[in-house]
């Protein structure tokens, strides 16, 4: 068993999961397991040839990968909690990494997260770079009037 486990929740996004698994195959840090929760997809993830092929490749690389299927969708929050509960019950992993099913991670994504944790931090998070072009220009002048302003509704 590897010390790091990656949690992925998905519903009806086999293509995105395939791209994420492909990016996980190319990680510089190799010692991780994956648990994938299929939250009531119309076509189960295990029915897709390319998903099974990628899972086999990961297993050949020494990664344990498991698919859990909810026949009735529970929603993303309950699905994520289900993965945490499953990992605590079935494994002795030191680090939990949650990655959204529509992410494609950089080759050193997990390595960089673990380096940060190794520096003594309790939590580490990473950003996945946007693949397309910039849709919105973010300039400070648009938020300066409201930064620091707190309004509570009655």
């Amino acid at each position: 068993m590897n010390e790091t486990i990656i949690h992925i929740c998905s519903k009806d996004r086999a293509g995105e999961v395939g791209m994420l698994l492909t990016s996980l195959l190319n990680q510089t840090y190799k010692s991780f397991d994956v648990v994938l929760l299929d939250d009531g997809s119309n076509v189960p993830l295990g029915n897709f040839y390319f998903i099974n092929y990628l899972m086999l490749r990961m297993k050949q690389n020494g990664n344990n990968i498991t698919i859990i299927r909810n026949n009735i969708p529970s929603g993303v929050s309950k699905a994520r909690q289900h993965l945490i509960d499953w990992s605590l019950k079935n494994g002795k992993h030191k680090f939990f990494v949650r990655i959204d099913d529509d992410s494609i991670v950089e080759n050193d994504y997990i390595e960089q997260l673990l380096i940060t944790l190794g520096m003594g931090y309790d939590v580490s998070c990473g950003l996945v770079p946007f693949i397309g072009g910039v849709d919105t220009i973010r300039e400070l002048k648009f938020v300066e009037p409201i930064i620091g302003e707190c309004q509570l509704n009655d």
Side-chain angles (χ1 to χ4, degrees):
M1 177 182 309
N2 296 312
E3 70 173 358
T4 304
I5 188 163
I6 298 173
H7 292 167
I8 304 167
C9 296
S10 186
K11 180 180 180 204
D12 294 322
R13 288 178 138 178
E16 288 88 342
V17 169
M19 292 175 68
L20 172 56
L21 293 179
T22 300
S23 70
L24 291 175
L25 274 168
N26 296 316
Q27 289 298 298
T28 55
Y29 180 84
K30 303 286 187 190
S31 182
F32 61 88
D33 298 330
V34 176
V35 60
L36 173 59
L37 191 136
D38 179 352
D39 194 30
S41 294
N42 290 322
V43 178
L45 287 173
N47 288 7
F48 290 92
Y49 171 79
F50 66 94
I51 296 289
N52 287 305
Y53 171 77
L54 291 168
M55 288 176 55
L56 179 62
R57 290 271 318 272
M58 293 184 82
K59 287 178 182 179
Q60 289 172 340
N61 288 347
N63 307 109
N64 296 313
I65 182 164
T66 304
I67 292 183
I68 300 171
R69 176 154 167 85
N70 286 342
N71 289 322
I72 299 172
S74 62
V76 69
S77 295
K78 287 185 179 179
R80 288 176 177 160
Q81 185 61 48
H82 182 90
L83 287 178
I84 291 170
D85 294 340
W86 183 91
S87 293
L88 291 172
K89 179 182 176 186
N90 295 301
K92 301 214 182 294
H93 298 93
K94 186 175 179 183
F95 302 110
F96 292 6
V97 177
R98 183 182 60 80
I99 303 177
D100 291 339
D101 61 355
D102 60 350
S103 299
I104 300 171
V105 295
E106 295 286 330
N107 291 348
D108 64 346
Y109 183 80
I110 299 169
E111 180 180 3
Q112 292 300 320
L113 291 176
L114 295 176
I115 287 171
T116 303
L117 291 172
M119 295 167 60
Y121 294 98
D122 294 329
V123 177
S124 179
C125 65
L127 297 175
V128 177
F130 183 65
I131 294 176
V134 177
D135 293 333
T136 305
I137 298 173
R138 294 182 172 93
E139 295 183 28
L140 193 57
K141 68 181 180 183
F142 297 115
V143 294
E144 279 180 339
I146 60 171
I147 288 177
E149 184 177 313
C150 180
Q151 296 179 354
L152 302 175
N153 295 332
D154 292 332

